[in-house]
Every structure is written in C-alpha cells, then in structure tokens.
Amino acid sequence: MEILATPRLRLRTADPGDADFYLALVNDPGFLEHIGDRGIRTRDDAVQALLDGPIAMHAAHGHSLYVVELKGSGTLIGMCGLIKRETLDGVDIGYAYLAPYCGRGYAYEAGMAVLGLAPALGLPRVLAITSPGNVASNGLLCKMGMRFERVVHLVPGGTGSNLYSLDFEQPASRRATAGSSPTERTR
C-alpha cells in the first residue's frame, strides 16, 4: 500500500515479496557497519524479519519502516519510516539505503516526507538514533531539523548512540487534550 510520494520516490508498506531486497539491504556493508548485523542470511529469514518487523509494526501502530522505491523505475533503494522501539520512550525515524543510492538526496527527501506524517499520526515528537561515527546520518538528521540531545546506551555495554529529537507544534484543540505545553519548533 502506498503511504506517500515525493517528486522522485514512492514509499509503501513492506510485504513478503520484498524479501530479496530486504536480504540485500540488511547485509549491505553500510548497514552492517552503522546499524548492525541482524543475522538475516536467507530469503526465508528475510521474509520472517519483514513479517515480525515492519509488517507487524504497521498493523499494530499504523506506521513502520516503509520500502522506498524510485518513482520512474520502481527500483527498491532503501527503507524509511517511523518506528516504535521498546528501547526508546518515543517513536523514532529510521532509514537505510543500498550503497548505490547513498549521497543522492534520497534519504533527505524520504525523511522529510516521513517527518511530515508525524503530526497527522498524533505524534508531537519524533526521535532518531545513530552511531556517533556515522557522519552522514548525523549530518542528515541535523539537516532535517532534528536536534542532538545526548548519547544514550540502548544496549548494556554498548558504545552508545546519538539521540536526536524534533518537536512539532500541536493545534490548540490537541494541546488541550495532550496535557502538555507546545514545543518551540517544526522544520
């Protein structure tokens, strides 16, 4: 199901037919270096990971990682979306792209579109995490208007992850029911 489109990209929900693409993505050297080894080695592993991950998350929360494809060709190039992790107190934006599609502005284009969904989903704030050494992702998050907060340790004994946040203004009708004051910016 298509979730949104940008001038160059289409973002849609994942399905088991995306297993070959997902297998390539999670074993891409950049993914392994900056996100980690998920232990997904076969097509069957990839199908199960999609079912247990983005497909289940979308069913449970109404958002997840979406498959990003090029509008003109339908080529699958990466994933980007809103994730609810047990290790974070809020929803975060996540993304990963196959190496040939990095550095072309696709992550920014899809990321900004995904951030635009957050207020409509009733999310007053979106988080992001990235490894401190991932220069490209740290720069991208800042370019998207996210603010560095602190280093968090999501895995005991881990080196830590940079935590970013972006707060959205809430309409007055939502502020009254949310029980919190509005925050200062959206970008």
Side-chain angles (χ1 to χ4, degrees):
M1 169 176 70
E2 184 172 310
I3 300 298
L4 52 86
T6 69
R8 300 184 296 166
L9 306 172
R10 182 175 296 109
L11 282 76
R12 63 168 176 80
T13 54
D15 65 59
D18 298 321
D20 291 330
F21 156 74
Y22 191 69
L23 180 63
L25 181 67
V26 299
N27 287 289
D28 183 88
F31 189 102
L32 294 170
E33 178 183 358
H34 297 296
I35 298 173
D37 188 348
R38 300 291 189 244
I40 299 169
R41 301 288 183 261
T42 67
R43 186 176 198 290
D44 287 344
D45 292 344
V47 168
Q48 194 60 54
L50 286 167
L51 290 170
D52 294 343
I55 295 170
M57 184 174 294
H58 195 269
H61 299 289
H63 56 79
S64 65
L65 281 173
Y66 304 119
V67 173
V68 179
E69 59 185 48
L70 297 177
K71 244 185 190 175
S73 66
T75 302
L76 308 185
I77 66 169
M79 295 186 87
C80 182
L82 297 169
I83 308 164
K84 179 56 190 123
R85 302 175 202 261
E86 292 180 17
T87 55
L88 289 176
D89 289 333
V91 171
D92 72 296
I93 186 170
Y95 50 85
Y97 291 86
L98 292 169
Y101 304 98
C102 293
R104 297 182 181 191
Y106 296 132
Y108 178 77
E109 188 173 327
M112 291 302 292
V114 165
L115 287 174
L117 290 175
L121 293 170
L123 300 173
R125 183 174 201 234
V126 173
L127 304 174
I129 54 172
T130 189
S131 60
N134 189 340
V135 175
S137 277
N138 282 287
L140 175 63
L141 294 172
C142 290
K143 183 178 178 180
M144 291 191 307
M146 300 197 84
R147 181 179 50 85
F148 173 78
E149 285 194 3
R150 66 185 181 281
V151 174
V152 294
H153 296 275
L154 304 174
V155 178
T159 58
S161 298
N162 287 351
L163 177 68
Y164 290 82
S165 66
L166 178 62
D167 297 313
F168 297 95
E169 283 283 337
Q170 293 182 347
S173 61
R174 293 204 56 132
R175 281 196 301 261
T177 60
S180 62
S181 62
T183 52
E184 77 260 3
R185 72 172 197 223
T186 46
R187 286 193 194 178

